Amino acid sequence: AQTVTQSQPEMSVQEAETVTLSCTYDTSESDYYLFWYKQPPSRQMILVIRQEAYKQQNATENRFSVNFQKAAKSFSLKISDSQLGDAAMYFCAYRSPPNFGNEKLTFGTGTRLTIIP
Amino acid sequence: SAVISQKPSRDICQRGTSLTIQCQVDSQVTMMFWYRQQPGQSLTLIATANQGSEATYESGFVIDKFPISRPNLTFSTLTVSNMSPEDSSIYLCSVGTPRGQYFGPGTRLTVT
């Protein structure tokens, strides 16, 4: 079974600065997907970014980028130019590829990010 | 992406009663999922609901406690049966898309 570990329960960053959230995972599969989700106090889960394991290039979505290290099974999220609206719980998630017929997400325990004005 | 709505957004229920949560999507999707998020915790998958087949439950969740319906490609319901205070959680539905799973706004359930 796959496991996802987020070792930082809480992080804080000054507004406009850069912060990196860590995630490691364990799997025996060679092909899979990794995601970062954001859950603000409104509790709506928002898909932030996704990475396919077969792609060497790190995914980027505006101010959000990932550092995907497949051999180390590491998947960190970097938020640049932090804004007050980035304050939320961030969850790392793992998913097997669709052709395995198992598209469920396995979530980490989350990192609460606070933005300091 | 998909636009997903859930009803009710929150409810307070008495012990021993049942609550049915509805999930509506603005487009047809094959796979829908139901998750539970206990206070201050991460998300745990309850079951996967594909249209035209029985829901597949994860370990620790049973159909008698969490019956699920999936009558068409845009709608699903989750019932929390014979509730106890331990069922107090946020219940979220999600849909599978080629990009990833998108979530509804959640239903906050409090059992007294």
Side-chain angles (χ1 to χ4, degrees), chain A residues 1-105:
Chain A
Q2 294 79 27
T3 59
V4 178
T5 302
Q6 293 179 250
S7 59
Q8 306 156 313
E10 296 184 355
M11 292 280 286
S12 61
V13 63
Q14 206 78 28
E15 192 176 2
E17 297 294 307
T18 296
V19 65
T20 299
L21 309 183
S22 301
C23 173
T24 59
Y25 59 94
D26 188 30
T27 183
S28 58
E29 296 174 326
S30 60
D31 194 16
Y32 47 86
Y33 297 84
L34 297 165
F35 303 85
W36 279 98
Y37 281 87
K38 167 185 176 181
Q39 188 178 39
S42 66
R43 78 172 179 256
Q44 173 84 54
M45 290 286 286
I46 301 166
L47 176 59
V48 174
I49 200 166
R50 133 189 163 143
Q51 175 78 43
E52 294 91 334
Y54 65 85
K55 288 187 177 179
Q56 292 186 332
Q57 186 172 8
N58 289 322
T60 298
E61 293 279 351
N62 300 315
R63 298 182 295 106
F64 298 87
S65 61
V66 299
N67 183 3
F68 174 51
Q69 302 289 329
K70 190 173 184 179
K73 296 180 180 174
S74 170
F75 182 60
S76 61
L77 175 70
K78 185 171 83 171
I79 306 174
S80 304
D81 184 25
S82 297
Q83 300 175 0
L84 295 178
D86 295 332
M89 281 290 286
Y90 285 82
F91 292 97
C92 178
Y94 174 102
R95 195 196 84 185
S96 298
N99 60 354
F100 280 79
N102 179 11
E103 295 192 34
K104 74 173 187 178
L105 292 174

Side-chain angles (χ1 to χ4, degrees), chain B residues 38-59:
Chain B
Q38 294 180 303
Q41 308 266 336
S42 185
L43 282 74
T44 301
L45 180 66
I46 297 171
T48 301
N50 290 341
Q51 197 270 335
S53 62
E54 295 288 324
T56 302
Y57 289 83
E58 297 297 303
S59 175

